[in-house]
Amino acid sequence: MKIKEIKVIVCSPGRNFVTVKVITDEGTYGIGDATLNGREMAVVAYLEEHVVPCLIGRDPNEIEDIWQYLYKGVYWRKGPITMASIAAIDMALWDIKGKIAGLPVYQLLGGKSRRGVTLYAHANGESINDTLDKVQEHIDQGFKAVRLQSAIPGLKVTYGVLGDKKDYFELQGNRPLPPEEEWSTQKYFNSIVDLMRQARARFGNEVEFLHDVHSRLTPIESARLGKLMEEFNLLFLEDASIAENQDSYKVIRQHTTTPLAIGETYNTIWDCKDLIQNQLIDYIRVAATHAGGITALRRIADFASIYNVKIAPHGAPDLSPVCFAAHMHLNIWAPNFGIQEFVGFGNDKSKEIFKHNFTVENGMAYMSEAPGLGIEFDEEAALKYPYKRSYLPVSRLEDGTLWNW
Ligand code: KDG
Ligand code: MG
């Protein structure tokens, strides 16, 4: 069997998605997600110019060798564009292998460790009450874990709280430029404690709460936040500080018992090696799409398992349903699975393009025995929704200083 053709298709049913389709000379094909929010077209160029030509004619069964070839063989290792490209090819090859074997990918990884995948939902509100009402909606739907984010009073726009806007494209005034928002650590500290206090008062201790800081704090500020959050018993505090310097988490860790999660921007095991082996975090949040696919995330999960670190893969709306499918197989298999972030299966346009049999019931996701990844991609439907340039916001302090994580 040989790889005959590889297509790279960009569509925008609401968010931009880059999908790769690897087609064999025997007619079997597999799909993978290469979406890199705000840098989608760089990945497309990398794939089309530098990856696809090298893979035509190769045996799609050789997943590991192709992964090593694309990672080590290029001289320029790592980086989000390279790793998203490798990830998409890797997912597609696992999809093909499963289809040929007539087995779901999780069976190829070693089989199920659990019946279903526990999810956490998002409650993002423009005020504390608004956020708490959304928590209630998720509890009513059966979710047992919810991430709480609320707009910060006194700041113009808070990251992740879009108000009446559908997406960042609208927030940026329908112009292809990044929107701008404000940050004030002092105002944030005032509001986050209120949010959690009111949430525990209203919902008691049964439901799990999570919170994402989006790396806006310095390590010592994160340490203080972790201490303040202890009484609210979070499942985890996410991205408190950036950890380009992985040692910086020692400062946070030595001060607080609040569980820590990080990793959605990481591309390789090297980005989180020290955090994991020094047990400075509790959950590693790398996404299959951004860290080199199923082959790479399996390796990170195994490494993390020996240090009591669980996987909690990134599941934002800018990862395509193909990435969610890859995570489902990894999560069902991994002995050290923690929790999966979940924001729904997208709008109707997205559902027209990506078809699958995943179901959600009482805050858990289940999968069918469909071979491969268990997700189909309708190319013709995808072509109806062309790429729309859109960026994440730029964050500035109130005096204008750039304050991105
Ligand atoms: O592209 C960036 C988003 O995916 C990210 O900001 C969302 O932090 C996020 C999360 O935890 O889902
Ligand atoms: Mg996050």
Side-chain angles (χ1 to χ4, degrees), residues 140-160:
D140 293 345
Q141 289 162 9
F143 284 92
K144 313 276 186 301
V146 186
R147 190 190 86 165
L148 281 69
Q149 310 291 136
S150 201
I152 300 170
L155 296 185
K156 270 189 248 135
V157 190
T158 307
Y159 182 66

Side-chain angles (χ1 to χ4, degrees), residues 130-143 202-203:
D130 190 13
T131 302
L132 298 188
D133 289 346
K134 289 188 174 139
V135 173
Q136 184 66 60
E137 283 169 30
H138 292 308
I139 292 175
D140 293 345
Q141 289 162 9
F143 284 92
R202 179 158 161 192
F203 301 107

Side-chain angles (χ1 to χ4, degrees), residues 120 122 147 159 212-214 238-239 264 285 314 316 341:
Y120 71 87
H122 282 197
R147 190 190 86 165
Y159 182 66
D212 190 349
V213 188
H214 296 113
E238 178 188 340
D239 283 350
E264 65 182 44
R285 285 189 31 78
H314 188 202
E341 179 180 20

Side-chain angles (χ1 to χ4, degrees), residues 264-371:
E264 65 182 44
T265 61
Y266 293 168
N267 315 128
T268 68
I269 197 164
W270 303 107
D271 300 327
C272 48
K273 177 180 82 62
D274 299 348
L275 289 167
I276 292 173
Q277 72 183 10
N278 295 324
Q279 294 178 283
L280 298 176
I281 55 169
D282 301 280
Y283 294 86
I284 180 71
R285 285 189 31 78
V286 284
T289 297
H290 297 142
I294 292 171
T295 298
L297 190 43
R298 176 184 60 173
R299 200 154 280 142
I300 292 173
D302 268 340
F303 178 66
S305 74
I306 52 177
Y307 297 102
N308 294 318
V309 175
K310 294 179 180 172
I311 60 164
H314 188 202
D318 51 79
L319 291 153
S320 98
V322 182
C323 177
F324 182 81
H327 288 166
M328 280 298 287
H329 292 273
L330 286 154
N331 293 337
I332 277 278
W333 153 75
N336 54 329
F337 166 68
I339 196 159
Q340 172 65 55
E341 179 180 20
F342 181 66
V343 290
F345 290 122
N347 59 18
D348 288 346
K349 293 176 190 167
S350 195
K351 287 178 188 149
E352 185 190 346
I353 300 170
F354 299 99
K355 304 221 169 60
H356 56 80
N357 293 322
F358 303 117
T359 53
V360 171
E361 208 182 312
N362 282 327
M364 295 197 49
Y366 299 93
M367 63 206 302
S368 71
E369 292 299 302

Side-chain angles (χ1 to χ4, degrees), residues 53-358:
C54 301
L55 298 184
I56 302 301
R58 292 195 54 147
D59 182 350
N61 286 297
E62 293 172 359
I63 300 178
E64 187 65 51
D65 187 63
I66 289 176
W67 196 97
Q68 300 293 339
Y69 174 78
L70 293 175
Y71 180 77
K72 295 182 179 163
V74 295
Y75 193 69
W76 311 108
R77 298 182 188 193
K78 306 194 273 186
I81 292 162
T82 300
M83 299 314 288
S85 306
I86 296 178
I89 298 292
D90 182 78
M91 287 179 201
L93 298 182
W94 279 99
D95 194 20
I96 291 172
K97 198 180 270 301
K99 285 176 177 165
I100 293 167
L103 292 170
V105 167
Y106 76 80
Q107 291 290 13
L108 307 177
L109 295 172
K112 278 188 182 179
S113 293
R114 55 194 55 79
R115 281 180 292 108
V117 167
T118 303
L119 306 168
Y120 71 87
H122 282 197
N124 296 333
E126 286 192 76
S127 66
I128 292 183
N129 277 339
D130 190 13
T131 302
L132 298 188
D133 289 346
K134 289 188 174 139
V135 173
Q136 184 66 60
E137 283 169 30
H138 292 308
I139 292 175
D140 293 345
Q141 289 162 9
F143 284 92
K144 313 276 186 301
V146 186
R147 190 190 86 165
L148 281 69
Q149 310 291 136
S150 201
I152 300 170
L155 296 185
K156 270 189 248 135
V157 190
T158 307
Y159 182 66
V161 182
L162 287 165
D164 58 350
K165 307 286 186 298
K166 291 201 296 298
D167 53 29
Y168 284 113
F169 191 71
E170 232 184 277
L171 188 68
Q172 69 200 24
N174 294 312
R175 301 164 310 147
L177 295 173
E180 302 230 342
E181 59 182 29
E182 279 181 333
W183 179 258
S184 152
T185 297
Q186 192 192 4
K187 289 181 174 143
Y188 168 68
F189 267 101
N190 293 340
S191 68
I192 182 66
V193 174
D194 280 354
L195 172 67
M196 289 302 170
R197 180 157 294 129
Q198 292 188 40
R200 276 289 172 232
R202 179 158 161 192
F203 301 107
N205 292 321
E206 285 300 295
V207 57
E208 301 274 16
F209 291 152
L210 304 90
H211 176 68
D212 190 349
V213 188
H214 296 113
S215 312
R216 297 291 195 269
L217 301 177
T218 65
I220 196 66
E221 289 166 350
S222 293
R224 179 170 159 231
L225 180 64
K227 279 173 93 160
L228 289 169
M229 289 296 109
E230 279 170 20
E231 65 173 297
F232 307 118
N233 195 21
L234 301 190
L235 181 76
F236 63 61
L237 182 65
E238 178 188 340
D239 283 350
S241 297
I242 201 89
E244 276 160 334
N245 171 12
Q246 296 179 46
D247 265 0
S248 66
Y249 263 59
K250 287 182 184 159
V251 174
I252 311 173
R253 197 60 152 179
Q254 76 194 16
H255 288 291
T256 180
T257 57
T258 293
L260 302 172
I262 196 168
E264 65 182 44
T265 61
Y266 293 168
N267 315 128
T268 68
I269 197 164
W270 303 107
D271 300 327
C272 48
K273 177 180 82 62
D274 299 348
L275 289 167
I276 292 173
Q277 72 183 10
N278 295 324
Q279 294 178 283
L280 298 176
I281 55 169
D282 301 280
Y283 294 86
I284 180 71
R285 285 189 31 78
V286 284
T289 297
H290 297 142
I294 292 171
T295 298
L297 190 43
R298 176 184 60 173
R299 200 154 280 142
I300 292 173
D302 268 340
F303 178 66
S305 74
I306 52 177
Y307 297 102
N308 294 318
V309 175
K310 294 179 180 172
I311 60 164
H314 188 202
D318 51 79
L319 291 153
S320 98
V322 182
C323 177
F324 182 81
H327 288 166
M328 280 298 287
H329 292 273
L330 286 154
N331 293 337
I332 277 278
W333 153 75
N336 54 329
F337 166 68
I339 196 159
Q340 172 65 55
E341 179 180 20
F342 181 66
V343 290
F345 290 122
N347 59 18
D348 288 346
K349 293 176 190 167
S350 195
K351 287 178 188 149
E352 185 190 346
I353 300 170
F354 299 99
K355 304 221 169 60
H356 56 80
N357 293 322
F358 303 117

